[in-house]
Amino acid sequence: MGRIVMKFGGSSVASAQRITAVADIVRSRLDRRPLVVVSAVGVSGDGEPKITDQLETLAELANSHRPYEENLDRIRVKHKKVVRELGLKWEAVSPVWKKLLAAVKDVDRPYREFLDEVFSFGERLSSFIIAEAFSSWGIPARCADVSELGILTNENFQDASVAPENESKVLAALRDEEKILVVPGFVGHTADGRITTLGRGGSDYTAALVGSAFEVDEIQIWTDVSGMRSTDPRLIPDAERLDVISFDEAKELAAFGAKVLHPKTIEPAMRKNIPVVILNSFKPADAGTTIRNERVKQNTVIKAIAHKSGVARINIESTRMLGSAGYMARIFTVFAKHQVDIDVMATTEVSVSLTVNSMRRMDRVIEELREFSNVSVDEGKTIICTVGEGMRHTPGVSGRVFSTLGTAGVNVELISQGGSEINITFMVDDKDAERAIRALYYSCIS
Ligand code: ADP
Ligand code: ASP
Ligand code: MG
């Protein structure tokens, strides 16, 4: 049997007790020579925010020259408790801790670069501690240092990506390592060695990059739910688990808010045709969800619903006759220049409506768009994405979706069906989102 990647998210490594459970899971699969990827310490129910969030606050304070010692102390206390309860000595961790102290003092650089280095310590600390714990329990393990990762990214700090041609460089320096590698998720670096991060929730993407580089048999994402559900369990707690879904379905669901999987995870796995399996570290015996290259139809045409709230709609109308090709090109150039991703889009010859996740960096975008367009912005919107392989070539699906929403009294805007024909995506006001999702779930899925 070939190797596997096992990625453990924040809640799976949030305490000494959780890390002990992780060790049991890893131990039971040692014959698969797992490559272990870990997130930063997450929420464990002690009222403390997750470490990555705490590091962000720390970076903000340090950057604006406000006192941050108390925040630093909270981060230290949290890790010290985990270390002590694992039966380890803090002295072993202190070289990593000292690097964090030095990084926080080094504020005299662009904030986005500073933040990514500070961010990286969540995963650098957790991977170090977990490797030490594994070793102390007789699982021969070693933590991969940032300098050994080979996760060569672009310079898009906070949301960096690895070009497909660089995927084979991932962990290349550690290809022959005999011990179990514990890899810090979320972290990469530029060609000149500055640290980047891969986007919030990006440790899933690290797992896929490692899996692709080592051409493993399976990429396991261990989290706090037993697989992907047909609808966000925070909205519909009894939404059923999806047994198998296709790469295309998973890509749409992850892109439109199914937080359980980072959207960038699918591409590297898909290119090498490696199944991604979502499993529950709190209930390791539970069945999960397998994402693979197989179009599985089921009884209901719509298999799942994802949603993303708090998005903004940008309406752009041409003030000059440019011809639609030139007009689109100009719009895209402005968004690309400021590194703002567009989610959903609808167009006519002279006007374009599109959505963006947040208004970050949008001031500059709007200013430049206004040089050749009228621009208006509507905030407080939710994108809802319905997905199912069965939608391909099935008539009447959109009729069903929109009549359901009509009956529920939900006003729908900006409808789009992607090229893959396996989704119908549209926008509603934030205030209508929950009602819309419930109506669709009970009419089209359950
Ligand atoms: P981790 O820390 O392990 O990376 P995340 O918090 O990123 O975990 O993702 C797991 C969470 O994703 C679940 O607790 C659940 O609330 C949320 N979630 C959103 N949509 C879905 C869905 N369709 N299926 C399962 N979980 C979902
Ligand atoms: N620690 C990072 C975050 O909280 C990455 C991850 O957990 O996947 O976003
Ligand atoms: Mg996650």
Side-chain angles (χ1 to χ4, degrees), residues 13-56:
V13 298
S15 65
Q17 192 197 5
R18 298 307 318 147
I19 293 171
T20 311
V22 163
D24 289 340
I25 297 171
V26 170
R27 201 182 277 114
S28 70
R29 285 157 173 87
L30 284 180
D31 58 329
R32 306 294 305 267
R33 292 192 300 136
L35 295 137
V36 176
V37 175
V38 295
S39 287
V41 168
V43 175
S44 64
D46 58 4
E48 287 289 307
K50 59 194 287 187
I51 289 297
T52 308
D53 290 342
Q54 294 201 42
L55 288 166
E56 184 165 29

Side-chain angles (χ1 to χ4, degrees), residues 7 9-12 39 204 222-225 227-234 257-260:
K7 176 261 171 178
S11 51
S12 301
S39 287
D204 300 336
W222 290 86
T223 181
D224 60 355
V225 278
M228 200 183 263
R229 311 279 195 83
S230 63
T231 313
D232 190 333
R234 287 165 294 188
K259 183 181 170 239
V260 63

Side-chain angles (χ1 to χ4, degrees), residues 314 330 334 337-338 361-373 375 377:
I314 316 293
R330 266 190 95 169
V334 175
K337 181 174 157 198
H338 296 287
R361 295 201 285 269
M362 279 302 291
D363 284 357
R364 305 272 296 283
V365 171
I366 291 169
E367 201 180 295
E368 287 185 33
L369 290 173
R370 287 206 165 122
E371 288 168 15
F372 58 97
S373 304
V375 182
V377 178

Side-chain angles (χ1 to χ4, degrees), residues 142-160:
R142 116 156 173 63
C143 161
D145 189 71
V146 187
S147 60
E148 300 170 309
L149 289 180
I151 300 185
L152 181 60
T153 70
N154 56 18
E155 302 202 352
N156 196 1
F157 293 89
Q158 278 90 70
D159 191 21

Side-chain angles (χ1 to χ4, degrees), residues 48-255:
E48 287 289 307
K50 59 194 287 187
I51 289 297
T52 308
D53 290 342
Q54 294 201 42
L55 288 166
E56 184 165 29
T57 311
L58 176 71
E60 278 165 12
L61 291 171
N63 184 58
S64 53
H65 303 286
R66 282 178 286 164
Y68 58 76
E69 285 68 23
E70 236 174 72
N71 301 70
L72 202 53
D73 212 44
R74 277 171 74 178
I75 297 171
R76 190 174 48 87
V77 167
K78 174 85 194 185
H79 285 99
K80 260 192 158 171
K81 179 168 187 277
V82 172
V83 166
R84 190 182 60 245
E85 288 175 5
L86 287 170
L88 303 171
K89 294 257 177 300
W90 180 250
E91 288 69 54
V93 184
S94 66
V96 187
W97 183 257
K98 281 186 183 144
K99 285 185 195 165
L100 168 60
L101 296 184
V104 184
K105 289 198 180 111
D106 186 13
V107 281
D108 213 8
R109 49 183 158 156
Y111 178 63
R112 304 193 66 203
E113 295 182 24
F114 173 67
L115 174 60
D116 269 1
E117 184 165 359
V118 174
F119 258 161
S120 74
F121 281 95
E123 272 71 7
R124 288 161 79 179
L125 284 162
S126 65
S127 57
F128 189 89
I129 294 166
I130 290 164
E132 290 283 305
F134 280 12
S135 304
S136 77
W137 295 326
I139 304 173
R142 116 156 173 63
C143 161
D145 189 71
V146 187
S147 60
E148 300 170 309
L149 289 180
I151 300 185
L152 181 60
T153 70
N154 56 18
E155 302 202 352
N156 196 1
F157 293 89
Q158 278 90 70
D159 191 21
S161 300
V162 176
E165 62 273 21
N166 287 329
E167 283 173 9
S168 60
K169 299 189 179 121
V170 172
L171 298 184
L174 296 171
R175 203 47 60 104
D176 301 321
E177 177 59 54
E178 298 279 317
K179 292 184 176 170
I180 300 290
L181 277 176
V182 183
V183 181
F186 186 47
V187 181
H189 56 80
T190 61
D192 59 5
R194 283 168 295 159
I195 288 177
T196 52
T197 59
L198 308 176
R200 294 303 304 268
S203 299
D204 300 336
Y205 180 38
T206 309
L209 291 168
V210 172
S212 154
F214 282 71
E215 303 200 338
V216 298
D217 281 0
E218 191 172 286
I219 297 162
Q220 300 181 345
I221 305 290
W222 290 86
T223 181
D224 60 355
V225 278
S226 302
M228 200 183 263
R229 311 279 195 83
S230 63
T231 313
D232 190 333
R234 287 165 294 188
L235 276 187
I236 313 236
D238 55 356
E240 54 289 296
R241 174 181 63 87
L242 300 163
D243 191 31
V244 180
I245 58 174
S246 69
F247 283 126
D248 286 336
E249 288 172 324
K251 214 157 61 171
E252 300 286 351
L253 291 169

